[in-house]
Amino acid sequence: MNVDQCRAPAGPAVSVVVIVYNDADRLPTAVRSVLDQTLHGVEVVIVDDRSTDGSYETARLLAAQYPDRVRVFRLPENSGGCGAPRNRGIAEARGDYVLFLDSDDVLERNACRNMLEAAETTGADLVSGLCVRVHVDSRTRKQVKWYPWLYERTRTLESITELPDLMVFDTLSTNKCYRRRFLLDERLEFPVGIHYEDLLFSAQAYAAARRITLIPNRVYEWRVVEKPAETAARSISNRRDEIANFAHRMEIHRRVDRLLAERGMPELKFAKDVKFLKHDLVLHLRELPSRDAPYRREFAGIAREYLESIDRAAFDEAEPIHAICAYLLQMGDWDNLLPAVDTLTNRDKISSSLVERDGRVYWCAEHLGDPFGRHVLDVTEFGYHTRPVERMFLRNALTHYEGPRGAGGTVRLAGRIVNPLGVVPPGARLTAQLEFYARRAGVRFQTFRFPVASVRHEGESVLWEAAPDLTALRPLGLVDAVWDVRLRLDVDGARTSTRLTAAGPGPFAGRVPVRPRLTRLVADRIEPVISSRGHLAFRLVPDKKANELLQRQVHGKVARLAKSRYRRAKSLRKRLTSGDTKIRLYHEVFSRLPVRKGLVVFESHLGRQYSDSPKAVYEEMRRQDLRFEAVWSYAGSPEGFPADATLVRRWSLPYLKALAQAEFWVDNQSYPLKLTKRPETTYIQTWHGSALKRMGFDEPGWKLKSRAQQEVQQRVLDRFDRFLIRSEHDVRTLARAFRLQERTLLRVGYPRNDELVRTRELEESSGRRVRGPLAAELGIPDDRQVLLYAPTFRQHGGAPRRFELPFDVECFADTFGDRYVLLVRSHYLNHVVLPPSVRGRVVDVTAHHDMTPLLALADGLITDYSSVMFDYALLDRPMFFFAYDYDEYVNEGRGTYFDLMERAPGPVVRTEDELHAVLGSLEEQTVKYAAAREQFTAEFGEYDKGTSARSVVDQFFAQWRRA
């Protein structure tokens, strides 16, 4: 029996309250979305907020057309918000449940049915579903789900405290279904006479509800118009230039805080504080650079009062730049705040000159006497101090703009480029040029460049002046209406690009004549404007009458036909360059070409590096002077790859063609999964490490896949003709996990480890260590021993991120800096930032793709669960295992093949203090664990004899030796 059959015929099941003010054109669409619901017994309660445009008359016509389903009410005077009409709707509703709908939005067709079923099944007072923002004025009708992670599955909460994020993030009232009796018993009403009423109403409803059910169904379509007509009223949330708007938001936040205090929900207050710093405050901070001084003063006064109530611990949960802006606002430091807001808006931009104190980097020199300020302003972990100038996006504040004089086209510009931590030295050779380019990417036929007359170093800044004659610009005129400006600065040959930040209220004046390529009727002048990100740009100014004529032509039949053909051509081009098309080309075209004898395609770590065993095999082939054609794939930059090979970008057509025609594939991870290997091609899979953690079909996730999915994965693994093995442990683990046949296994060891074996043999025969050139390159003193910290890959929330060291690196440097230099080598998918205080004592070597020279250099290894332990064991040097999260890694991850605690060839420690204790003497650890290392090496590296690369070459490529 469905919900319709369960309903008593006396009244409607659901009342949908539709509020309207001066929206007669869109009201019928909203009402129709309710009348078309798949659930029967839904009534529409229209409440008109005293419209002046005919909305009430439209509502009455709808009521007359559907007398049994639509009722209309009108407020005696306009309330100026959404609260009063919604409250009236609650009072007039007759349904057991109530929904709210704005006149410019629509309900999903099954919304009422899905929400009613959830409410009656679970007994919830409140049911919430997925809201989707639909950008109706975009050509593609872009859709954005509203906090979708909250609605990944159906779940019922006995209290909002079970899911604080729901109250903190989803503050909408319109994607929810409320039990009407619940609203009446709890006397829940929207506040009247104040904006952002949804925030308070939703908080009250969440806090009062005895049961809340979330459903993954799409229920509400929030229709967004990015560019409303000039006559259209802006939405409340878009009136951030009005100080009253901010005052209302703060008052609502104060009321919600009081509510949470009365309800005894401090954890919700803390979560809300974090969201305020990360979202609510940020929305208004971004407006500050374009506001005048009186607005800023009033804004700061309102904000400071509320910021005093924020839990200081919330600053640590917000992103650093959010916390910095909030703190500087609280301190009233506008000189440092406005540049910080520039970074807030342009996330990669460095907007402050920064300051280094006691080995840490701070946003500014002010407020460091305040312990909390010193904490918030610490930006060491941003890694600014590690970047060369060419990797910096610097703030370039426009300090002077002067429009053309008379009929000329010369504008005079001057600016100040920030010089963080003196990255531009006083004696640097400086040159610069201004570049003007069309914003629309598809029409950037030409970039116009102008010399910068004066560039000079001035302490914490680089000053520049230029006077470009903009009559040299030649826009098309129809499709390149906006032109952006950037300044390219050369510092001793290194180049960085900056945008011109136009801070301060008010537009720049003065129109400049230009010569359009098509016709002057389109536009023959440009004027300066400020972009949404605060940068100087120029916009074509069309002649009004000529533009109206051209617009009619542009939107006429011929123009529509031309645009249609252009879009079809663009779509065709997209299809031709898509992954699916490339895969078809590989199988249907390239794979029909003859295999080229002697062609070998090499790849390491999906093309990210020139490293590992493929590199060792390649270099052995070159050492033996074999006759073959080498192709190396690269994923990012070809820099660092061999000059004596053909380099192809991964997934490019030359790459696919080379793979299709190659006699051999050599890689250590996997070529693209959907590419079928031809029978004439031999795939040598060197792999990239023995296994501690479970792999392949031994992983829990793989076991849960369907049979069809497992078969697809098996076909990928069956492409391997040879799989390199370094021990019988690999046979029991990797080979079994990948379901490889015995004939596939090649027991020769890893080519990348040949150098390690030879290094140990040389040391044993000579009785001494030879460090080699890498030590000098890294600046390691002769009297320091070298420790290498190489942890396994860390992944959080589904994506790689900056790796946070699990120990205090400054404490480590202070304790051991006179004895050891610590090399930190995070996984190549992670990255780490070291503070300036550890310079010379701790060195980040993550950028060194090839691990072998690092292992050979290290006197001792610190790791956790990384397969690097199996390689380093070949050197017979001390190893330390910092397994601070061992239980989590073993029990909550994919599991391990053996217990590291029992088999580790070195001490296993859980805490930083324990790590420091065992690092006291490398010599002691060398002797203490000598037998364990020998057994470990025998078990996990039995086939690593130092001849792996030669063995591979002898078995597969010997026929190419020159006579």
Side-chain angles (χ1 to χ4, degrees), residues 600-602 610-626 628-632 641-647 666 751 949 952-953 957:
V600 187
V601 178
F602 297 88
Y610 174 61
S611 66
D612 211 76
S613 292
K615 172 186 176 183
V617 172
Y618 172 75
E619 292 184 348
E620 176 65 19
M621 294 173 72
R622 288 298 189 201
R623 188 189 67 78
Q624 294 193 24
D625 194 25
L626 303 185
F628 70 105
E629 181 183 355
V631 171
W632 267 93
F641 284 80
D644 55 357
T646 300
L647 307 183
V666 180
V952 171
V953 172
F957 310 114

Side-chain angles (χ1 to χ4, degrees), residues 67 151 231 522 733 817 825:
Y151 299 98
T231 57
V522 175
T733 57
R825 209 277 191 176

Side-chain angles (χ1 to χ4, degrees), residues 64 166 212 290 293 396 418 448 543 561 568 591 676 683 776 879:
L166 180 62
I212 302 168
S290 59
N396 184 355
V418 70
F448 295 89
D543 177 84
L561 179 62
R568 282 201 299 271
S591 291
T676 303
Y683 189 166
M879 287 190 277

Side-chain angles (χ1 to χ4, degrees), residues 296-334:
R296 292 176 185 172
R297 283 196 298 271
E298 194 170 355
F299 176 88
I302 297 170
R304 275 200 296 267
E305 180 183 353
Y306 186 74
L307 285 169
E308 291 294 335
S309 71
I310 296 289
D311 189 331
R312 285 194 164 184
F315 282 72
D316 288 335
E317 299 299 319
E319 293 186 36
I321 191 61
H322 296 162
I324 289 169
C325 287
Y327 177 80
L328 293 174
L329 175 63
Q330 199 169 359
M331 302 305 293
D333 185 350
W334 292 100

Side-chain angles (χ1 to χ4, degrees), residues 87 90 124-126 178-190 200-212 259 262-263 265:
N87 292 339
I90 295 172
D125 291 327
L126 186 160
Y178 309 85
R179 193 182 298 275
R180 184 165 65 93
R181 190 73 260 162
F182 161 68
L183 295 178
L184 297 177
D185 290 347
E186 295 293 335
R187 298 181 180 179
L188 292 180
E189 290 188 338
F190 290 86
L200 180 58
F201 180 83
S202 295
Q204 292 171 329
Y206 284 139
R210 290 172 291 277
R211 185 170 293 164
I212 302 168
L259 167 71
E262 292 167 1
R263 293 273 182 172
M265 296 177 170

Side-chain angles (χ1 to χ4, degrees), residues 343-356:
T343 294
L344 185 71
T345 305
N346 303 276
R347 302 307 301 273
D348 295 327
K349 184 182 289 189
I350 305 175
S351 299
S352 169
S353 57
L354 309 177
V355 62
E356 184 179 332

Side-chain angles (χ1 to χ4, degrees), residues 358-360 807-815 835-838 841-842:
D358 303 321
R360 306 292 293 180
F807 55 88
D808 187 335
V809 68
E810 292 177 292
C811 178
F812 185 96
D814 291 341
T815 304
S837 58
V838 301
R841 298 176 293 172
V842 184

